[in-house]
Amino acid sequence: MFFSPYSKARKRLNQILSEIIRERKEKRLVEKDLLGHLLNFKDEKGETLSEDQIADNITEDQIADNIIGILFAAQDTTASFITWILKFLHDDPKLLEAVKAEQKAIYESNNGGKERLTWAQTRKMTLTYRVLLEGLRMASIISFTFREAVVDVEYKGYLIPKGWKVMPLFRNIHHNPEFFSDPHDFDPSRFEVAPKPNTFMPFGNGVHACPGNELAKLEALILIHHLVTKFRWEVVGSESGIQYGPFPVPQQGLPARFWKQSSCP
């Protein structure tokens, strides 16, 4: 039987989480983190999981599955997304300067960065926000999803029987010239007008859309604000291409050097 590196890593993560769960049970530790909330989850009757339930392997597996899902779905995807944004900005100096100007105005309005960035200010980052949307379209971090046909569906002369699995390819949709002109060009201005329905789905669509989509974009806006107002950076090397680990990132993960503005040459 063949085990991929990912399946081995998943097994190891399960083991690590099981050890942490057992330690917290034995020491009766109550932490205010995600694992702590899951371990102290209350049902509709207001009761937490019993000792026997927590000790049960099925329950531990469910908790571990939720934790691992959050690590990959909420952290790796956002990190990959932000990495691409930095690459796209680095490759377009004029766009980078425009983003810097937008962010610098907000920075100065906050007493030179001494006051906290506010939610209302992130809503004013219109150019930066369009950069994020175009980055999501170009990179398509989540390339596809799986769905099941709940009824017979006919599509372009083909019959998809009820119960069959389908795999929508978001990357193909996002790079379809029928929906986005010159799809291989990074052009944030295309999002000055909202795209046609069901043509832009970086976080999925419908009731199964990723619930963290706005949080991911907010994290990216905040990071870009602090990066362009306080730092300079340059990409080390010029290798092109994509690597997957498991989500797409620039070749070698976009190695770069960073300087604080005060120490820039």
Side-chain angles (χ1 to χ4, degrees):
M1 182 178 293
F2 171 77
F3 291 95
S4 72
Y6 296 126
S7 64
K8 291 180 180 179
R10 177 60 179 258
K11 184 177 180 180
R12 177 58 181 147
L13 283 172
N14 272 324
Q15 292 174 343
I16 293 172
L17 286 168
S18 294
E19 292 170 4
I20 294 173
I21 290 171
R22 282 195 294 271
E23 180 182 5
R24 291 195 181 185
K25 278 180 49 190
E26 292 171 359
K27 297 182 179 180
R28 299 185 179 277
L29 298 175
V30 180
E31 302 287 351
K32 293 184 179 180
D33 54 18
L34 177 61
L35 178 57
H37 283 291
L38 291 173
L39 289 172
N40 294 281
F41 174 76
K42 294 183 179 181
D43 61 19
E44 63 275 4
K45 297 180 181 179
E47 298 178 353
T48 58
L49 296 173
S50 68
E51 288 291 319
D52 291 338
Q53 286 175 310
I54 296 177
D56 184 85
N57 288 333
I58 296 178
T59 303
E60 284 193 9
D61 285 346
Q62 291 174 336
I63 291 175
D65 187 64
N66 276 277
I67 294 292
I68 294 172
I70 290 294
L71 289 174
F72 282 94
Q75 303 299 323
D76 272 20
T77 50
T78 304
S80 300
F81 162 45
I82 292 174
T83 302
W84 280 109
I85 295 299
L86 296 188
K87 173 175 172 51
F88 293 138
L89 286 175
H90 181 273
D91 291 348
D92 191 334
K94 288 185 178 179
L95 178 61
L96 176 57
E97 288 304 314
V99 168
K100 281 183 178 180
E102 179 177 78
Q103 297 299 332
K104 192 69 174 180
I106 295 173
Y107 180 82
E108 294 299 336
S109 70
N110 279 343
N111 193 19
K114 294 179 181 178
E115 298 175 14
R116 291 184 176 182
L117 191 65
T118 67
W119 168 263
Q121 287 173 328
T122 65
R123 302 299 90 186
K124 296 179 181 179
M125 299 176 181
T126 53
L127 172 60
T128 310
Y129 188 71
R130 290 197 296 269
V131 169
L132 298 190
L133 297 182
E134 178 68 344
L136 286 166
R137 183 194 70 81
M138 286 282 287
S140 294
I141 304 300
I142 303 299
S143 301
F144 58 86
T145 188
F146 293 99
R147 291 292 182 266
E148 179 179 320
V150 296
V151 296
D152 289 350
V153 177
E154 186 175 334
Y155 179 73
K156 293 188 175 182
Y158 293 92
L159 175 65
I160 303 174
K162 176 182 177 180
W164 276 36
K165 303 297 189 293
V166 296
M167 189 175 73
L169 298 173
F170 298 143
R171 186 178 299 277
N172 285 14
I173 296 171
H174 294 162
H175 289 78
N176 188 333
E178 294 181 11
F179 306 139
F180 300 98
S181 59
D182 300 316
H184 298 298
D185 293 341
F186 187 81
D187 181 12
S189 69
R190 70 173 82 246
F191 284 96
E192 292 175 1
V193 178
K196 296 179 180 178
N198 302 317
T199 61
F200 181 61
M201 298 177 284
F203 296 96
N205 205 3
V207 296
H208 295 291
C210 175
N213 59 34
E214 293 302 325
L215 176 60
K217 288 182 282 189
L218 179 62
E219 289 177 333
L221 287 172
I222 294 172
L223 185 142
I224 290 172
H225 172 78
H226 290 291
L227 182 65
V228 303
T229 57
K230 300 175 183 177
F231 297 86
R232 282 182 57 191
W233 78 93
E234 68 175 18
V235 174
V236 180
S238 58
E239 286 200 31
S240 60
I242 302 174
Q243 67 183 50
Y244 294 84
F247 302 106
V249 292
Q251 197 69 32
Q252 296 187 349
L254 197 72
R257 292 191 182 95
F258 292 82
W259 296 271
K260 284 187 176 181
Q261 291 284 13
S262 58
S263 62
C264 286

